[in-house]
Amino acid sequence: MDINVTVKSNLQIRAFYLFFIIAGVQIGVGIIGAPRFVFLEAERDSWLAILIGFLFICIVVGAMFMILQQYENADYYGIHIDLFGNWLGKLMGTILILFLAGSFLSILMTYIQVIQIFLYHGLPNWIITSLILILALYTVLGGIRVVVGVTFVFFIITISLLVVLYDPLLRLNMYNYLPMFQTPLPDLLKGAKATAYTFSGFEILMFIYPFIKDKQKAKLPVYLGLTFTTIIFILITMISIGYFSALGLKNIDWALLILVKSASFTFLERLDYIVVITWIMVIIPNLVLLMWAIAYGIKRLYNFQQRKTHYIFAGIILIVVNFFHFDYQITKLTDTIARISFWVVYIYPLLLLPIVLIKKKRKSQGGDNAS
Amino acid sequence: MWRRKKTEKTNQSETNIFPLKVDALEKFFKEKFNYHDDLKFTKYTVNKKKVAVFYIDYLIEGNKLGQIIEPLVDLNPEIDLTNKNLLNELPYSSGTSTNTIEDIHKKLIIGFVFIYIEMEKAVLAYPFSMKETRSVEKAETESLVLGSKIAFSESILINMNVIRWQINSTDLVFEKFTVGTQAPREVRIVYMKSIANEDDVNTMRQRIQELDVDQIEGTIVLKQYLEDSQMNLFPQFDETELPDRLAYNVTRGKIGVLVDGSPTSFTAPATLFSFLESTEDLYMRWQAGSFLRILRFLAMIFSILVTPTYVAAATYQYAIIPSQLLISIGQSRAAVPFPPIFEALLLEFLIELLREAGARLPTKVGQTMGIVGGIVIGQAAVEAGLTSNILIIVVAMSALSSFTTPSYLFGTTIRLIRFPLIILAGLLGLAGIVFGLCWLIIHVLRLTSLGRPYLVPIYPLRLADFNKVFFRTPFSFVSKRAKSYRPKDLLRFNKKDAKQKRDIDE
């Protein structure tokens, strides 16, 4: 297997789409329920906790960029092979793929749960799953160009949905924010850790990077994407804190969906229905990017056709979703994935960076000795 | 279809029967030609030599024929009658000589007149073909309020003439191809040499050359053969019967295709939004032009969504309807015994029937038909308790909006899309609609037209082209051609000169 990826020029994408890829993959199911998780830890100063999380992510992404820049055109899979050799590298790659598949399942299950609670109470898991999988399969079979296109177009469509938040924004209770800066630092850090699941997703950068056409321009859109997600996250959290009472927010599972409920027009009511159902457009980019990374990884590691991987993966998912019947199962799944993602997404690149740098240094020294 | 490599033409054995006697030639035609009944075979004796003139009389122009028969018969007796001398004597420069039967065969059926001098080695052929065509008329399917009303006719010569006068430039190229193995037809691709993208022209050329079919029925059929994918709903090339629309597209760097005997042309590459463009937008002032374009765009979305939303809301998610409105919908639906999906399909079916009947019937009857159908049947359906009042409004509005698209093919696609969406809405409610919409968006994202993305300038994003696609700006802002089609020459005029402002009182 090659460490570097050779990408045809017609498959390359402009760097500026990274903004939409990063923001699109980060804003997913997590953000619907995130305000509560952060609030449970950091109370009124949740925005500080989110900012701390954001700063940490910036460091992680910086580390990712440093790792990637040591190579010509590599992704996670290639880097693993380079660092750990063929066997261990493939094992690490496979673990990553399993993690991605786990994230896929947790996103899907959370969304199914939301749909079943808000809209269709008795609808079986497999019907919703097959609807979503049809869309995801149709997208990924079109290749990376369509995957990025779907991410971009759906992001534009769905982000306009947040306009509905104008109504709760007008009904905020300012006293809910006071007194500020009371939360002790350990709680803030715990709050920051609670953002991990919501903020995760940007690890897709390590997979899609070889496909970027103008790599020297890649940094700005990525950081802007992270900033955008943070702003949206802080906005939603702060509106939730101002809108709900402290006691209420601690018991509300999906704060965002309750928030959009409050807006109504003379021709349209219950916007939460529309938001819940349109949230599928937020989920699809998440799912297709993960699916693409999984299939592409399997192709890189085991030289297996992407098309077949997609069909097999979709089949497995369609079977697996039927085993989740109860709320606590999904919560457990999400919690597990959240815990793993903290290590895989946030800590792992920081551990990898020194290894890459040391290896590079040794190589250059070895090169010097030889000459 | 075009991907299939053209099979090598089997080299037909060329038979040369010349020289021979005139009577023998006549006999030969009688025995060997499939259409000897049509063949007029006349024999003259000029300067003591026998001469045969043969042609198919309904394919040639009679008065031109007289103009060569007369000098032939009255030929100066001193001149030796040979092919060479005769070519010199006759007052037409277009004569050629040919000596194979296959060639004669081909030329006879496109209106050549042949002169054979006994015992000569070749036959003289004169192209006097006459093609009956309709003269250029007013556009019917794409009607316009402003702008030139001339439409293409069935003759490719007239069409090329019209386009040449529209774009009077030395840059304009009409490249000639012949398509069809059994009944060949002339096909021309039209483009501006200095503007059109070279790759696109090559792709188009290649697709036409590699097309291996027995015959094509016209432009729209050729269009379907050449399209990137035949397995989808959307037309991928933009068809038009208006020379000025073709001229507009060609001067912006697209490639036009004309087919002989077909009163339409098409341009490629197309995008989803080019079907919503009309040249009329250009003739309006930019504010009105923008308004109309946005209106059409909204009409498309509205037309796709409104009936399915009604079905979904009335069946499952009635909570999204405010209570005031819900009361009136409930009242009007109270008498209807069917579920909303059935009600909506019934009414959509009725509207489609009206449209189809109106299109098939003669114009005058068609209009009456529309009024009778729309008002009388609609009213009766409500009173009979088959449908609700509100649904009639909804369906009529959606039908109306689907007719605003300038392209008839695209309008049909939009009307077609509604039916699966209505069924999805009836089965799954809002989730069905959103599922259908997502599917449509992904579908459109996957499409290409002549290898170029179909959803440009949204994806890939080209903000600079928005003012050529979604709205219009004053001409001083449109100094460049749309980058989406990658023209060779992006600049239309110098932006600086256009933006120059004079000071007050100067």
Side-chain angles (χ1 to χ4, degrees), chain A residues 14 17 120 138 145 152 269, chain B residues 320 428 443 446 459 461:
Chain A
R14 278 189 283 164
Y17 287 113
Y120 302 96
Y138 194 43
R145 197 185 72 86
F152 171 68
E269 267 178 4
Chain B
I320 64 167
L428 291 163
H443 180 71
R446 288 184 61 148
Y459 179 77
L461 186 69

Side-chain angles (χ1 to χ4, degrees), chain B residues 285-391:
Chain B
R285 294 199 58 73
W286 65 270
Q287 301 91 334
S290 303
F291 170 73
L292 288 179
R293 236 175 233 188
I294 293 167
L295 180 78
R296 257 181 251 125
F297 193 66
L298 291 178
M300 179 186 78
I301 298 171
F302 185 80
S303 170
I304 293 176
L305 279 184
V306 67
T307 322
T309 312
Y310 170 86
V311 173
T315 320
Y316 299 97
Q317 281 88 19
Y318 32 79
I320 64 167
I321 310 170
S323 30
Q324 282 289 313
L325 198 59
L326 193 62
I327 291 170
S328 55
I329 289 181
Q331 272 172 350
S332 84
R333 259 195 60 76
V336 183
F338 313 120
I341 176 177
F342 184 76
E343 189 193 2
L345 283 177
L346 185 79
L347 215 57
E348 286 283 355
F349 178 64
L350 187 74
I351 289 262
E352 286 304 305
L353 276 186
L354 282 175
R355 187 195 54 76
E356 187 61 18
R360 300 287 150 255
L361 282 171
T363 329
K364 283 174 191 161
V365 194
Q367 280 174 1
T368 332
M369 183 70 211
I371 296 163
V372 171
I375 297 172
V376 178
I377 301 185
Q379 190 66 33
V382 171
E383 271 173 24
L386 290 178
T387 55
S388 63
N389 274 323
I390 306 241
L391 184 65

Side-chain angles (χ1 to χ4, degrees), chain B residues 7 37 53-54 58 196 238 246 265 357 381 390 396 420 441 444 452 496:
Chain B
T7 46
D37 286 341
V53 177
F54 54 97
Y58 53 76
D238 198 359
L246 181 84
S265 67
I390 306 241
I441 293 172
V444 170
R452 301 241 172 265
K496 259 189 194 162

Side-chain angles (χ1 to χ4, degrees), chain A residues 106-236:
Chain A
S106 92
I107 292 171
L108 188 65
M109 283 319 302
T110 315
Y111 183 58
I112 290 177
Q113 195 188 11
V114 172
I115 282 203
Q116 281 172 342
I117 288 176
F118 269 76
L119 275 174
Y120 302 96
H121 304 288
L123 205 61
N125 285 352
W126 64 269
I127 290 189
I128 309 173
T129 311
S130 40
L131 285 183
I132 294 173
L133 279 179
I134 287 172
L135 295 178
L137 268 181
Y138 194 43
T139 310
V140 284
L141 291 179
I144 182 79
R145 197 185 72 86
V146 180
V147 168
V148 176
V150 164
T151 311
F152 171 68
V153 173
F154 282 6
F155 179 83
I156 301 284
I157 295 174
T158 48
I159 214 63
S160 53
L161 277 178
L162 292 179
V163 174
V164 183
L165 287 178
Y166 81 92
D167 191 76
L169 199 60
L170 296 176
R171 300 168 192 232
L172 293 185
N173 181 359
M174 288 302 163
Y175 292 108
N176 282 359
Y177 300 118
L178 300 175
M180 288 168 117
F181 307 111
Q182 295 292 310
T183 319
L185 192 63
D187 283 356
L188 280 181
L189 290 179
K190 270 186 203 160
K193 201 183 165 189
T195 62
Y197 183 69
T198 312
F199 269 136
S200 70
F202 61 88
E203 70 271 15
I204 203 78
L205 177 68
M206 295 294 280
F207 301 96
I208 216 163
Y209 188 75
F211 287 83
I212 306 299
K213 197 186 273 173
D214 31 4
K215 296 202 171 54
Q216 67 281 8
K217 286 190 201 158
K219 277 187 181 168
L220 182 67
V222 170
Y223 284 115
L224 280 180
L226 294 174
T227 317
F228 183 82
T229 320
T230 313
I231 291 170
I232 295 286
F233 195 178
I234 291 182
L235 188 77
I236 292 174

Side-chain angles (χ1 to χ4, degrees), chain A residues 77 80-81 84-98 301-302 348:
Chain A
Y77 307 114
H80 280 149
I81 300 277
F84 307 119
N86 202 14
W87 278 102
L88 202 57
K90 275 192 180 174
L91 182 71
M92 298 291 268
T94 316
I95 293 173
L96 259 182
I97 288 175
L98 286 177
L301 294 177
Y302 304 106
Y348 183 57

Side-chain angles (χ1 to χ4, degrees), chain B residues 196-214:
Chain B
N197 183 293
E198 198 93 23
D199 293 340
D200 286 0
V201 176
N202 283 338
T203 317
M204 183 57 97
R205 205 180 277 146
Q206 194 190 353
R207 284 188 192 181
I208 293 179
Q209 278 167 349
E210 288 184 359
L211 184 67
D212 184 20
V213 283
D214 56 343

Side-chain angles (χ1 to χ4, degrees), chain B residues 322-492:
Chain B
S323 30
Q324 282 289 313
L325 198 59
L326 193 62
I327 291 170
S328 55
I329 289 181
Q331 272 172 350
S332 84
R333 259 195 60 76
V336 183
F338 313 120
I341 176 177
F342 184 76
E343 189 193 2
L345 283 177
L346 185 79
L347 215 57
E348 286 283 355
F349 178 64
L350 187 74
I351 289 262
E352 286 304 305
L353 276 186
L354 282 175
R355 187 195 54 76
E356 187 61 18
R360 300 287 150 255
L361 282 171
T363 329
K364 283 174 191 161
V365 194
Q367 280 174 1
T368 332
M369 183 70 211
I371 296 163
V372 171
I375 297 172
V376 178
I377 301 185
Q379 190 66 33
V382 171
E383 271 173 24
L386 290 178
T387 55
S388 63
N389 274 323
I390 306 241
L391 184 65
I392 292 222
I393 301 170
V394 165
V395 169
M397 271 162 78
S398 113
L400 208 59
S401 354
S402 78
F403 288 118
T404 56
T405 41
S407 158
Y408 189 72
L409 280 181
F410 193 69
T412 317
T413 305
I414 287 178
R415 279 198 296 283
L416 205 63
I417 289 170
R418 279 196 320 229
F419 287 94
L421 270 179
I422 292 173
I423 294 170
L424 274 173
L427 292 177
L428 291 163
L430 284 179
I433 299 178
V434 174
F435 169 77
L437 272 187
C438 287
W439 192 87
L440 270 182
I441 293 172
I442 298 168
H443 180 71
V444 170
L445 271 166
R446 288 184 61 148
L447 276 184
T448 53
S449 162
L450 213 67
R452 301 241 172 265
Y454 197 59
L455 210 59
V456 87
I458 286 194
Y459 179 77
L461 186 69
R462 298 204 189 284
L463 284 175
D465 287 355
F466 272 32
N467 65 348
K468 285 139 209 139
V469 176
F470 297 114
F471 52 90
R472 274 200 53 216
T473 40
F475 284 120
S476 57
F477 292 93
V478 204
S479 62
K480 285 175 182 167
R481 298 190 174 88
K483 208 180 164 190
S484 314
Y485 307 124
R486 309 217 173 180
K488 265 188 201 165
D489 181 11
L490 200 61
L491 226 59
R492 289 180 59 212

